[in-house]
Amino acid sequence: KKVLFSGMQATGNLTLGNYLGALKNWVKLSDEYECFYCVVDEHSITVRQDPATLRKRARALLTLYIAAGLDPEKNCIYYQSHVSAHAELAWILNCYTYMGELNRMTQFKDKAAKHADNINAGLFTYPVLMAADILLFQADVVPVGIDQKQHLEITRDIAQRFNSIYGDTFTIPEPYIGKAGAKIMSLQNPEKKMSKSDENPNGSIYLMDDTDTIIRKCKRAVTDSEGCVRYRDEQPGVKNLIDIYCACTGKLPSDVEREFDGKGYGELKMAVGEAVAAQLAPLQSEVARLEKDKAYIDGVIKNNAEKAAYFANKTLRKVQRKVGFPDRI
Ligand code: TYM
């Protein structure tokens, strides 16, 4: 079986963008691949975190992976910080990554602008840790939203560079970017992606929002004065609503244009709100059920960390040998 790796940060409240852009595809692909789904808590501390909150969110995220339909018997679901090979490989790969390459990362530029008081070295080398995550498992495919595409490209560049110096070591991973939902925009500003860290809570639908909140946020979504439901760049707000609707229902934009032909934005917004709520309700009740089963989740955490470490260490040992570290005795 081919290998799939992906991860999410346990930072902030997860949004519909995280679900439609990533998690939903993870579930869809999980039967086809040998899968590793990581809660990337080490990436989270590139921005200052409250320790108790981080710990809580990391566990909630791991629980969410399972609630979304990933079976922890078949898929390896674990915390990055429980597998030390991530940090060890990241160090090595740091020495094969150029400052110039990292300087070009748009996410670094955005985050550095936002957290001007804490532009730390970890924030700068963040993509190298992400490359280590992926390359450790010899992943063939990495399902992500469009915003992570540049990080996948640098991962491939680092892997190719290493392979060309030391011979075949890493599998060169491909991004998997779904057709619908790869870039969900803010409901309040359709030029900006929907984000966990948006200050305006009406811009994002959070995965734990209840039905009323979801419908209210959809009703308030920013549209335009065209007054027709068309899927085109000139109407970014409407386009985003159609994208959300398609990602939730499996419909195509052309179907949606037909469905709402001659109808107003009010009807579209209501339909979108209901479709989103219908997606999230089962997820929320499954989270609530799993949260009560502490022993089960603890078991998943322990067993899967061991499994992940076993695979990761195989690659790490190979790399350590290639760069010239002394053999273990
Ligand atoms: P993160 O935690 O910001 O986001 C998790 C996933 O959600 C996707 N996503 C979106 N998709 C569509 N529309 C949106 N508005 C939206 N917002 C977020 C992201 O593309 C991502 O797939 N660096 C990564 C985490 C990471 C990782 C990895 C991913 C660390 N190591 C290895 C894959 C493989 C990140 O910060 O994602």
Side-chain angles (χ1 to χ4, degrees), residues 245-282:
Y245 192 52
C246 289
C248 291
T249 58
K251 292 180 182 171
L252 295 172
S254 53
D255 299 333
V256 182
E257 285 182 340
R258 233 171 291 123
E259 185 179 340
F260 291 93
D261 189 27
K263 295 186 182 156
Y265 294 162
E267 279 165 281
L268 173 68
K269 288 175 175 180
M270 198 61 203
V272 174
E274 280 169 357
V276 172
Q279 280 275 289
L280 300 187

mmCIF file of all heavy atoms in Angstrom, residues 245-282:
data_model
loop_
_atom_site.group_PDB
_atom_site.id
_atom_site.type_symbol
_atom_site.label_atom_id
_atom_site.label_comp_id
_atom_site.label_asym_id
_atom_site.label_seq_id
_atom_site.Cartn_x
_atom_site.Cartn_y
_atom_site.Cartn_z
ATOM 1 N N TYR A 245 -21.143 24.809 -0.171
ATOM 2 C CA TYR A 245 -22.307 23.963 -0.456
ATOM 3 C C TYR A 245 -21.890 22.699 -1.231
ATOM 4 O O TYR A 245 -22.287 21.588 -0.899
ATOM 5 C CB TYR A 245 -23.314 24.802 -1.254
ATOM 6 C CG TYR A 245 -24.684 24.210 -1.395
ATOM 7 C CD1 TYR A 245 -25.405 23.764 -0.290
ATOM 8 C CD2 TYR A 245 -25.292 24.121 -2.657
ATOM 9 C CE1 TYR A 245 -26.679 23.235 -0.432
ATOM 10 C CE2 TYR A 245 -26.578 23.608 -2.806
ATOM 11 C CZ TYR A 245 -27.264 23.164 -1.688
ATOM 12 O OH TYR A 245 -28.528 22.640 -1.830
ATOM 13 N N CYS A 246 -21.059 22.892 -2.242
ATOM 14 C CA CYS A 246 -20.588 21.751 -3.052
ATOM 15 C C CYS A 246 -19.770 20.782 -2.200
ATOM 16 O O CYS A 246 -19.935 19.561 -2.309
ATOM 17 C CB CYS A 246 -19.743 22.235 -4.221
ATOM 18 S SG CYS A 246 -20.707 23.077 -5.476
ATOM 19 N N ALA A 247 -18.877 21.328 -1.378
ATOM 20 C CA ALA A 247 -18.022 20.454 -0.579
ATOM 21 C C ALA A 247 -18.855 19.652 0.422
ATOM 22 O O ALA A 247 -18.520 18.514 0.739
ATOM 23 C CB ALA A 247 -16.953 21.267 0.143
ATOM 24 N N CYS A 248 -19.939 20.235 0.894
ATOM 25 C CA CYS A 248 -20.782 19.516 1.865
ATOM 26 C C CYS A 248 -21.717 18.510 1.199
ATOM 27 O O CYS A 248 -22.060 17.496 1.805
ATOM 28 C CB CYS A 248 -21.630 20.497 2.681
ATOM 29 S SG CYS A 248 -20.674 21.499 3.815
ATOM 30 N N THR A 249 -22.163 18.810 -0.009
ATOM 31 C CA THR A 249 -23.211 17.977 -0.620
ATOM 32 C C THR A 249 -22.718 17.102 -1.769
ATOM 33 O O THR A 249 -23.437 16.223 -2.226
ATOM 34 C CB THR A 249 -24.329 18.871 -1.206
ATOM 35 O OG1 THR A 249 -23.741 19.753 -2.174
ATOM 36 C CG2 THR A 249 -25.021 19.689 -0.124
ATOM 37 N N GLY A 250 -21.516 17.376 -2.272
ATOM 38 C CA GLY A 250 -21.024 16.618 -3.419
ATOM 39 C C GLY A 250 -21.574 17.131 -4.738
ATOM 40 O O GLY A 250 -21.308 16.556 -5.800
ATOM 41 N N LYS A 251 -22.338 18.226 -4.712
ATOM 42 C CA LYS A 251 -22.862 18.788 -5.963
ATOM 43 C C LYS A 251 -21.762 19.543 -6.702
ATOM 44 O O LYS A 251 -20.727 19.876 -6.132
ATOM 45 C CB LYS A 251 -24.012 19.758 -5.659
ATOM 46 C CG LYS A 251 -25.243 19.063 -5.113
ATOM 47 C CD LYS A 251 -26.373 20.039 -4.823
ATOM 48 C CE LYS A 251 -27.548 19.259 -4.227
ATOM 49 N NZ LYS A 251 -28.613 20.121 -3.725
ATOM 50 N N LEU A 252 -22.031 19.846 -7.989
ATOM 51 C CA LEU A 252 -21.089 20.632 -8.778
ATOM 52 C C LEU A 252 -21.584 22.075 -8.860
ATOM 53 O O LEU A 252 -22.799 22.308 -8.822
ATOM 54 C CB LEU A 252 -20.991 20.068 -10.198
ATOM 55 C CG LEU A 252 -20.400 18.668 -10.309
ATOM 56 C CD1 LEU A 252 -20.527 18.146 -11.734
ATOM 57 C CD2 LEU A 252 -18.932 18.680 -9.873
ATOM 58 N N PRO A 253 -20.671 23.046 -9.007
ATOM 59 C CA PRO A 253 -21.099 24.451 -9.094
ATOM 60 C C PRO A 253 -22.186 24.668 -10.157
ATOM 61 O O PRO A 253 -23.122 25.428 -9.931
ATOM 62 C CB PRO A 253 -19.807 25.184 -9.455
ATOM 63 C CG PRO A 253 -18.733 24.337 -8.880
ATOM 64 C CD PRO A 253 -19.206 22.916 -8.991
ATOM 65 N N SER A 254 -22.078 23.965 -11.283
ATOM 66 C CA SER A 254 -23.092 24.167 -12.333
ATOM 67 C C SER A 254 -24.470 23.687 -11.868
ATOM 68 O O SER A 254 -25.491 24.302 -12.195
ATOM 69 C CB SER A 254 -22.674 23.446 -13.610
ATOM 70 O OG SER A 254 -22.400 22.100 -13.321
ATOM 71 N N ASP A 255 -24.509 22.604 -11.083
ATOM 72 C CA ASP A 255 -25.794 22.135 -10.516
ATOM 73 C C ASP A 255 -26.385 23.202 -9.612
ATOM 74 O O ASP A 255 -27.598 23.436 -9.610
ATOM 75 C CB ASP A 255 -25.601 20.896 -9.620
ATOM 76 C CG ASP A 255 -25.027 19.724 -10.381
ATOM 77 O OD1 ASP A 255 -25.241 19.663 -11.605
ATOM 78 O OD2 ASP A 255 -24.360 18.873 -9.749
ATOM 79 N N VAL A 256 -25.512 23.821 -8.831
ATOM 80 C CA VAL A 256 -25.980 24.793 -7.844
ATOM 81 C C VAL A 256 -26.514 26.034 -8.556
ATOM 82 O O VAL A 256 -27.551 26.586 -8.171
ATOM 83 C CB VAL A 256 -24.849 25.154 -6.850
ATOM 84 C CG1 VAL A 256 -25.346 26.132 -5.798
ATOM 85 C CG2 VAL A 256 -24.314 23.892 -6.188
ATOM 86 N N GLU A 257 -25.838 26.452 -9.612
ATOM 87 C CA GLU A 257 -26.338 27.598 -10.392
ATOM 88 C C GLU A 257 -27.751 27.309 -10.897
ATOM 89 O O GLU A 257 -28.629 28.170 -10.839
ATOM 90 C CB GLU A 257 -25.408 27.881 -11.579
ATOM 91 C CG GLU A 257 -24.120 28.565 -11.167
ATOM 92 C CD GLU A 257 -23.225 28.896 -12.367
ATOM 93 O OE1 GLU A 257 -23.398 28.278 -13.452
ATOM 94 O OE2 GLU A 257 -22.345 29.756 -12.227
ATOM 95 N N ARG A 258 -27.946 26.100 -11.363
ATOM 96 C CA ARG A 258 -29.272 25.717 -11.873
ATOM 97 C C ARG A 258 -30.293 25.666 -10.735
ATOM 98 O O ARG A 258 -31.398 26.184 -10.850
ATOM 99 C CB ARG A 258 -29.182 24.346 -12.562
ATOM 100 C CG ARG A 258 -29.756 24.397 -13.976
ATOM 101 C CD ARG A 258 -29.486 23.113 -14.761
ATOM 102 N NE ARG A 258 -28.081 22.938 -15.085
ATOM 103 C CZ ARG A 258 -27.333 21.890 -14.746
ATOM 104 N NH1 ARG A 258 -27.834 20.893 -14.047
ATOM 105 N NH2 ARG A 258 -26.061 21.824 -15.097
ATOM 106 N N GLU A 259 -29.878 25.042 -9.628
ATOM 107 C CA GLU A 259 -30.784 24.911 -8.480
ATOM 108 C C GLU A 259 -31.293 26.274 -7.998
ATOM 109 O O GLU A 259 -32.449 26.392 -7.581
ATOM 110 C CB GLU A 259 -30.021 24.191 -7.355
ATOM 111 C CG GLU A 259 -30.842 23.861 -6.134
ATOM 112 C CD GLU A 259 -30.012 23.115 -5.063
ATOM 113 O OE1 GLU A 259 -28.960 22.526 -5.393
ATOM 114 O OE2 GLU A 259 -30.427 23.146 -3.898
ATOM 115 N N PHE A 260 -30.439 27.291 -8.069
ATOM 116 C CA PHE A 260 -30.824 28.606 -7.532
ATOM 117 C C PHE A 260 -31.094 29.625 -8.633
ATOM 118 O O PHE A 260 -31.081 30.821 -8.387
ATOM 119 C CB PHE A 260 -29.755 29.105 -6.553
ATOM 120 C CG PHE A 260 -29.736 28.292 -5.291
ATOM 121 C CD1 PHE A 260 -28.883 27.207 -5.165
ATOM 122 C CD2 PHE A 260 -30.626 28.577 -4.263
ATOM 123 C CE1 PHE A 260 -28.883 26.432 -4.022
ATOM 124 C CE2 PHE A 260 -30.644 27.806 -3.120
ATOM 125 C CZ PHE A 260 -29.772 26.722 -2.996
ATOM 126 N N ASP A 261 -31.346 29.135 -9.811
ATOM 127 C CA ASP A 261 -31.661 30.020 -10.925
ATOM 128 C C ASP A 261 -32.930 30.809 -10.584
ATOM 129 O O ASP A 261 -33.942 30.220 -10.210
ATOM 130 C CB ASP A 261 -31.866 29.190 -12.199
ATOM 131 C CG ASP A 261 -31.967 30.089 -13.423
ATOM 132 O OD1 ASP A 261 -31.391 31.196 -13.382
ATOM 133 O OD2 ASP A 261 -32.640 29.693 -14.385
ATOM 134 N N GLY A 262 -32.853 32.120 -10.660
ATOM 135 C CA GLY A 262 -34.020 32.946 -10.359
ATOM 136 C C GLY A 262 -34.297 33.116 -8.872
ATOM 137 O O GLY A 262 -35.265 33.764 -8.493
ATOM 138 N N LYS A 263 -33.461 32.491 -8.034
ATOM 139 C CA LYS A 263 -33.657 32.630 -6.575
ATOM 140 C C LYS A 263 -32.657 33.619 -5.993
ATOM 141 O O LYS A 263 -31.634 33.918 -6.612
ATOM 142 C CB LYS A 263 -33.516 31.271 -5.900
ATOM 143 C CG LYS A 263 -34.617 30.304 -6.320
ATOM 144 C CD LYS A 263 -34.561 29.027 -5.536
ATOM 145 C CE LYS A 263 -35.662 28.075 -6.023
ATOM 146 N NZ LYS A 263 -35.332 26.690 -5.727
ATOM 147 N N GLY A 264 -32.929 34.074 -4.794
ATOM 148 C CA GLY A 264 -32.088 35.107 -4.188
ATOM 149 C C GLY A 264 -31.020 34.522 -3.258
ATOM 150 O O GLY A 264 -30.957 33.310 -3.030
ATOM 151 N N TYR A 265 -30.211 35.419 -2.729
ATOM 152 C CA TYR A 265 -29.124 35.005 -1.835
ATOM 153 C C TYR A 265 -29.648 34.417 -0.530
ATOM 154 O O TYR A 265 -29.012 33.566 0.079
ATOM 155 C CB TYR A 265 -28.201 36.185 -1.538
ATOM 156 C CG TYR A 265 -27.435 36.698 -2.749
ATOM 157 C CD1 TYR A 265 -26.863 37.960 -2.744
ATOM 158 C CD2 TYR A 265 -27.272 35.897 -3.872
ATOM 159 C CE1 TYR A 265 -26.146 38.433 -3.839
ATOM 160 C CE2 TYR A 265 -26.569 36.359 -4.971
ATOM 161 C CZ TYR A 265 -26.014 37.627 -4.953
ATOM 162 O OH TYR A 265 -25.315 38.092 -6.027
ATOM 163 N N GLY A 266 -30.825 34.928 -0.090
ATOM 164 C CA GLY A 266 -31.398 34.424 1.159
ATOM 165 C C GLY A 266 -31.596 32.911 1.107
ATOM 166 O O GLY A 266 -31.242 32.187 2.044
ATOM 167 N N GLU A 267 -32.117 32.436 -0.007
ATOM 168 C CA GLU A 267 -32.355 30.998 -0.139
ATOM 169 C C GLU A 267 -31.046 30.207 -0.199
ATOM 170 O O GLU A 267 -30.915 29.140 0.388
ATOM 171 C CB GLU A 267 -33.193 30.729 -1.388
ATOM 172 C CG GLU A 267 -34.676 30.964 -1.146
ATOM 173 C CD GLU A 267 -35.468 31.057 -2.429
ATOM 174 O OE1 GLU A 267 -35.430 32.136 -3.068
ATOM 175 O OE2 GLU A 267 -36.093 30.044 -2.798
ATOM 176 N N LEU A 268 -30.096 30.776 -0.941
ATOM 177 C CA LEU A 268 -28.786 30.111 -1.025
ATOM 178 C C LEU A 268 -28.168 29.994 0.376
ATOM 179 O O LEU A 268 -27.713 28.921 0.791
ATOM 180 C CB LEU A 268 -27.844 30.893 -1.948
ATOM 181 C CG LEU A 268 -26.398 30.390 -1.997
ATOM 182 C CD1 LEU A 268 -26.306 29.015 -2.665
ATOM 183 C CD2 LEU A 268 -25.476 31.370 -2.738
ATOM 184 N N LYS A 269 -28.194 31.100 1.104
ATOM 185 C CA LYS A 269 -27.565 31.109 2.433
ATOM 186 C C LYS A 269 -28.218 30.098 3.372
ATOM 187 O O LYS A 269 -27.532 29.411 4.139
ATOM 188 C CB LYS A 269 -27.657 32.516 3.033
ATOM 189 C CG LYS A 269 -26.723 33.512 2.363
ATOM 190 C CD LYS A 269 -26.959 34.893 2.921
ATOM 191 C CE LYS A 269 -25.952 35.895 2.368
ATOM 192 N NZ LYS A 269 -26.194 37.236 2.910
ATOM 193 N N MET A 270 -29.523 30.004 3.307
ATOM 194 C CA MET A 270 -30.250 29.049 4.147
ATOM 195 C C MET A 270 -29.844 27.617 3.784
ATOM 196 O O MET A 270 -29.569 26.792 4.660
ATOM 197 C CB MET A 270 -31.755 29.266 3.911
ATOM 198 C CG MET A 270 -32.629 28.679 4.969
ATOM 199 S SD MET A 270 -32.269 29.433 6.572
ATOM 200 C CE MET A 270 -32.865 28.113 7.597
ATOM 201 N N ALA A 271 -29.786 27.343 2.487
ATOM 202 C CA ALA A 271 -29.420 25.989 2.037
ATOM 203 C C ALA A 271 -27.989 25.655 2.465
ATOM 204 O O ALA A 271 -27.703 24.527 2.895
ATOM 205 C CB ALA A 271 -29.565 25.895 0.522
ATOM 206 N N VAL A 272 -27.098 26.632 2.372
ATOM 207 C CA VAL A 272 -25.703 26.400 2.765
ATOM 208 C C VAL A 272 -25.643 26.118 4.268
ATOM 209 O O VAL A 272 -25.020 25.143 4.713
ATOM 210 C CB VAL A 272 -24.806 27.615 2.404
ATOM 211 C CG1 VAL A 272 -23.401 27.421 2.946
ATOM 212 C CG2 VAL A 272 -24.765 27.816 0.894
ATOM 213 N N GLY A 273 -26.336 26.958 5.042
ATOM 214 C CA GLY A 273 -26.345 26.779 6.498
ATOM 215 C C GLY A 273 -26.837 25.390 6.877
ATOM 216 O O GLY A 273 -26.238 24.711 7.716
ATOM 217 N N GLU A 274 -27.891 24.958 6.230
ATOM 218 C CA GLU A 274 -28.445 23.637 6.561
ATOM 219 C C GLU A 274 -27.505 22.511 6.146
ATOM 220 O O GLU A 274 -27.351 21.521 6.865
ATOM 221 C CB GLU A 274 -29.820 23.468 5.896
ATOM 222 C CG GLU A 274 -30.892 24.176 6.712
ATOM 223 C CD GLU A 274 -32.237 24.290 5.996
ATOM 224 O OE1 GLU A 274 -32.345 23.868 4.821
ATOM 225 O OE2 GLU A 274 -33.170 24.819 6.632
ATOM 226 N N ALA A 275 -26.871 22.682 4.990
ATOM 227 C CA ALA A 275 -25.946 21.637 4.524
ATOM 228 C C ALA A 275 -24.741 21.531 5.467
ATOM 229 O O ALA A 275 -24.277 20.431 5.789
ATOM 230 C CB ALA A 275 -25.486 21.946 3.100
ATOM 231 N N VAL A 276 -24.250 22.679 5.934
ATOM 232 C CA VAL A 276 -23.098 22.666 6.845
ATOM 233 C C VAL A 276 -23.501 22.020 8.168
ATOM 234 O O VAL A 276 -22.795 21.146 8.695
ATOM 235 C CB VAL A 276 -22.545 24.092 7.078
ATOM 236 C CG1 VAL A 276 -21.490 24.084 8.180
ATOM 237 C CG2 VAL A 276 -21.967 24.665 5.793
ATOM 238 N N ALA A 277 -24.659 22.439 8.685
ATOM 239 C CA ALA A 277 -25.108 21.891 9.968
ATOM 240 C C ALA A 277 -25.279 20.369 9.860
ATOM 241 O O ALA A 277 -24.918 19.629 10.777
ATOM 242 C CB ALA A 277 -26.401 22.559 10.401
ATOM 243 N N ALA A 278 -25.791 19.909 8.725
ATOM 244 C CA ALA A 278 -25.993 18.470 8.541
ATOM 245 C C ALA A 278 -24.663 17.710 8.501
ATOM 246 O O ALA A 278 -24.570 16.560 8.920
ATOM 247 C CB ALA A 278 -26.793 18.211 7.265
ATOM 248 N N GLN A 279 -23.611 18.371 8.006
ATOM 249 C CA GLN A 279 -22.275 17.768 8.003
ATOM 250 C C GLN A 279 -21.714 17.690 9.411
ATOM 251 O O GLN A 279 -21.102 16.705 9.796
ATOM 252 C CB GLN A 279 -21.303 18.656 7.210
ATOM 253 C CG GLN A 279 -21.358 18.517 5.742
ATOM 254 C CD GLN A 279 -20.501 17.371 5.271
ATOM 255 O OE1 GLN A 279 -19.284 17.425 5.310
ATOM 256 N NE2 GLN A 279 -21.138 16.318 4.831
ATOM 257 N N LEU A 280 -21.900 18.774 10.159
ATOM 258 C CA LEU A 280 -21.183 18.873 11.432
ATOM 259 C C LEU A 280 -21.893 18.192 12.598
ATOM 260 O O LEU A 280 -21.232 17.752 13.544
ATOM 261 C CB LEU A 280 -20.877 20.341 11.764
ATOM 262 C CG LEU A 280 -20.002 21.070 10.737
ATOM 263 C CD1 LEU A 280 -19.631 22.454 11.256
ATOM 264 C CD2 LEU A 280 -18.723 20.287 10.418
ATOM 265 N N ALA A 281 -23.228 18.090 12.538
ATOM 266 C CA ALA A 281 -23.957 17.529 13.685
ATOM 267 C C ALA A 281 -23.474 16.121 14.076
ATOM 268 O O ALA A 281 -23.184 15.879 15.253
ATOM 269 C CB ALA A 281 -25.461 17.557 13.426
ATOM 270 N N PRO A 282 -23.356 15.197 13.121
ATOM 271 C CA PRO A 282 -22.897 13.853 13.510
ATOM 272 C C PRO A 282 -21.472 13.856 14.066
ATOM 273 O O PRO A 282 -21.140 13.094 14.985
ATOM 274 C CB PRO A 282 -22.961 13.038 12.219
ATOM 275 C CG PRO A 282 -23.375 13.951 11.135
ATOM 276 C CD PRO A 282 -23.712 15.275 11.708
#
